[in-house]
Amino acid sequence: MEKVTIATVAQRAGVSRQTVSNVINTPDVVREETRERVREAISALGYRVNQAARQMRTGRSRLIAVRIEPARDGINGSVLDRFLHGLTDAAGLAGYRVMLYTADGDDAEIATYDELLNAYDLDAFVLTSTHHGDPRTSWLAARDVPFVTFGRPWGAPETHSWVDIDNAAGTAAATEHLLAAGHQRIGFLGWPAGSGVGDARREGWHRALGPWGPVGEATDGVESGAVAARKMLQNDPPTAIVCASDSLALGALQAARELGRECAVIGFDDTAVARAIGLTSVSQPLAEAAGRCMDLLRELLDGHAPSHPTNVLLPPSLVVRQTA
Amino acid sequence: MEKVTIATVAQRAGVSRQTVSNVINTPDVVREETRERVREAISALGYRVNQAARQMRTGRSRLIAVRIEPARDGINGSVLDRFLHGLTDAAGLAGYRVMLYTADGDDAEIATYDELLNAYDLDAFVLTSTHHGDPRTSWLAARDVPFVTFGRPWGAPETHSWVDIDNAAGTAAATEHLLAAGHQRIGFLGWPAGSGVGDARREGWHRALGPWGPVGEATDGVESGAVAARKMLQNDPPTAIVCASDSLALGALQAARELGRECAVIGFDDTAVARAIGLTSVSQPLAEAAGRCMDLLRELLDGHAPSHPTNVLLPPSLVVRQTA
DNA sequence: TATCCGAATTTGATCGTTCAAGACCTAGAG
DNA sequence: CTCTAGGTCTTGAACGATCAAATTCGGATA
């Protein structure tokens, strides 16, 4: 099988290289008849544009990079994985490919940006797990590298486009669901203050519930959640608990069972665990979030960049199962 | 910030382009002193090889592709994700990058191979989820595309290198653990015969147990597992069940609880769910498997290809928790 | 009829790297 | 003193695409 280049196609169609290139990139400048002839040659030969060669001229690689994180907790790690699935799909449809990298910490990640940009001419980055004082966005912005974040820029000035889930709306919906079911004493089990996501989830619960409610704090994880939930259930027992994650919710369920208490529990993220054990949970529209990220990237990449950044806030949905 | 090319480095070091190239690719042909001077210029300028240009000359992209599957079950999907993490790490260390793609079915995947090979000059593929009558391996082999499979070539002639988990050893270990704990009537809950992985897991249980044991069959999933387990527990009740997956194990646990039966349960894959609910499970060494895949690929890619394919079979380990 | 115009197409140069071949220099052999 | 060999370095071409400028050609205009 010979190598098929633009020259092969040109010869077969009886035109020059440039005309073939035009058919591919700017079809409207080529006469109808010629265009068809070239298109025919292209498909007859099974020609595909060589990205490396194109990239060398245009400086564009049609590659976007995403960090894949070491599966931490294992329960919540799957959220990013599902986002990644969606992004790969969306990118594929838009003619882009996703490249992965790992990095241990923000500084290492920035070093990786530098390498990827130089070596592979990456077109853009999608950042996940944004957090307070995130140095990555400013580094990229300073170099005019196109990027989008999945997660809003907590605290930082909003100089770039982002997509995020409306976390507060999620816990608010969960709380309202409980209120509608007749619960009045509804607690919240979350992470220590300071993480943007965690604070937003607490805020949603607070907004829907009003003034009162017992609050428990725990670092993420089943054990830690069980400890905090036990304390809540013993002191000022609520009849229902809204949790900041499925891990915490699982802990809460364990604690309630141990203490023999009836207690409704709602988790967050709708992970596989929730589905498996029938835990009611708030579900993030990850595929849509990924699709929107890709849309924003295309705006940035395919010319017509909007002068000011776009933000997308997606509402999560409540998946009701047995626990509430 | 100017673009730093090999010519920039050459000028600064007072040598020709080719000498810089030699320092990078074949350092031993350059005189010590010159080599140092060039190296200094490289790091002073922060020079990085442009992969696209290199690729155009050499035809090698230092890119390997892996398919990312739509998270099916959600419980077991995470196995591939963890493998992916490991592979990205291992590839990064070896100077390769991982590119993702999705494909719906074997034929679509083969079409994607064709596109990726032409457009991106991919160096190699890592295939997962091998199965009986897999058309992908022969397609790749016919075109001399380097690839490795994670999962042995079920039924097909072993003409390529692969890495796999010793599934039978896993269920055998689980069964032996139960025997040691005094169980005598140990059942197996697995998938219908025909899937290589499923058959191997059943085989391991059978080997360790000897002649007897009730067998249940169910398509993967919690519901389906619960139904099959209920039947087992009612007819010829075992005191323990070895399962082909964590999903099935979860179903078995549900069935036992409903029927009020004491029954030890062991799952397979050590997913997040298992960790969360304390399910004893067989754990696959996924990071190591990924590393081995990368090792095999390097053998194929970095010259010295072994004349006959290499196979790696890794033993899983039993993670003992509360359910057995 | 000569000139100009615009649409359609072609030609030559270029992106950054590596390959293949050649040039230079020093040292040892004849 | 010439010749050869080997180590070290340089030069020109090539990979496959796109950009920018040049060319062709039929038809409208003066």
Side-chain angles (χ1 to χ4, degrees), chain B residues 172-242:
Chain B
T175 309
E176 275 151 21
H177 171 77
L178 292 167
L179 286 169
H183 290 278
Q184 291 181 317
R185 301 171 67 82
I186 303 173
F188 180 80
L189 179 54
W191 307 312
S195 88
V197 174
D199 294 351
R201 293 185 183 175
R202 180 195 318 249
E203 168 59 25
W205 159 80
H206 188 262
R207 188 205 306 156
L209 185 62
W212 187 84
V215 175
E217 276 189 8
T219 56
D220 204 40
V222 179
E223 306 299 321
S224 167
V227 172
R230 213 171 289 133
K231 205 184 296 175
M232 277 176 68
L233 290 167
Q234 283 168 338
N235 296 347
D236 190 8
T239 63
I241 305 180
V242 173

Side-chain angles (χ1 to χ4, degrees), chain A residues 257-268:
Chain A
R257 194 183 325 142
E258 280 168 26
L259 297 171
R261 279 263 170 58
E262 273 290 317
C263 184
V265 172
I266 298 185
F268 208 113

Side-chain angles (χ1 to χ4, degrees), chain A residues 1 4 46 48-53 55-56 61-63 68-75 78 81-82 84-85 88-89 95-103 111-112 114-116 118-121 143 222 250 254 272-273 275-278 322, chain B residues 1 4 46 48-53 55-56 61-63 68-75 78 81-82 84-85 88-89 95-103 111-112 114-116 118-121 143 222 250 254 272-273 275-278 322:
Chain A
M1 201 154 33
V4 179
R48 292 247 170 58
V49 176
N50 181 318
Q51 285 293 340
Q55 173 179 345
M56 187 147 37
S61 62
R62 301 197 78 80
L63 241 41
I68 184 169
E69 318 205 354
R72 309 160 305 172
D73 175 291
I75 297 191
S78 78
D81 287 330
R82 281 188 282 164
L84 197 56
H85 282 91
T88 306
D89 269 337
Y96 287 84
R97 293 279 166 197
V98 173
M99 178 183 279
L100 296 179
Y101 65 92
T102 54
T112 308
D114 200 35
E115 190 199 315
L116 289 175
N118 279 291
Y120 291 94
D121 278 320
R143 282 161 189 75
V222 180
L250 212 57
Q254 270 185 19
V273 180
R275 249 166 296 162
I277 67 169
Q322 290 92 295
Chain B
M1 199 153 36
V4 179
R48 293 242 169 61
V49 175
N50 181 316
Q51 285 293 341
Q55 174 180 343
M56 189 149 36
S61 62
R62 302 198 77 79
L63 241 41
I68 183 168
E69 317 206 355
R72 309 161 305 175
D73 176 290
I75 297 191
S78 79
D81 287 329
R82 282 187 281 164
L84 198 55
H85 281 92
T88 306
D89 269 337
Y96 287 84
R97 293 280 165 195
V98 173
M99 178 182 280
L100 296 179
Y101 64 92
T102 54
T112 308
D114 199 34
E115 190 200 316
L116 289 175
N118 279 291
Y120 291 93
D121 276 320
R143 282 159 189 75
V222 179
L250 211 57
Q254 270 185 18
V273 179
R275 250 167 294 160
I277 66 170
Q322 289 93 293

Side-chain angles (χ1 to χ4, degrees), chain B residues 103-144:
Chain B
D104 200 12
D106 288 333
D107 292 336
E109 185 161 359
I110 286 174
T112 308
Y113 293 159
D114 199 34
E115 190 200 316
L116 289 175
L117 287 171
N118 279 291
Y120 291 93
D121 276 320
L122 257 89
D123 282 355
F125 289 85
V126 175
L127 307 198
T128 55
S129 307
T130 51
H131 51 85
H132 283 296
D134 201 320
R136 302 174 297 167
T137 50
S138 44
W139 193 94
L140 290 171
R143 282 159 189 75
D144 277 325

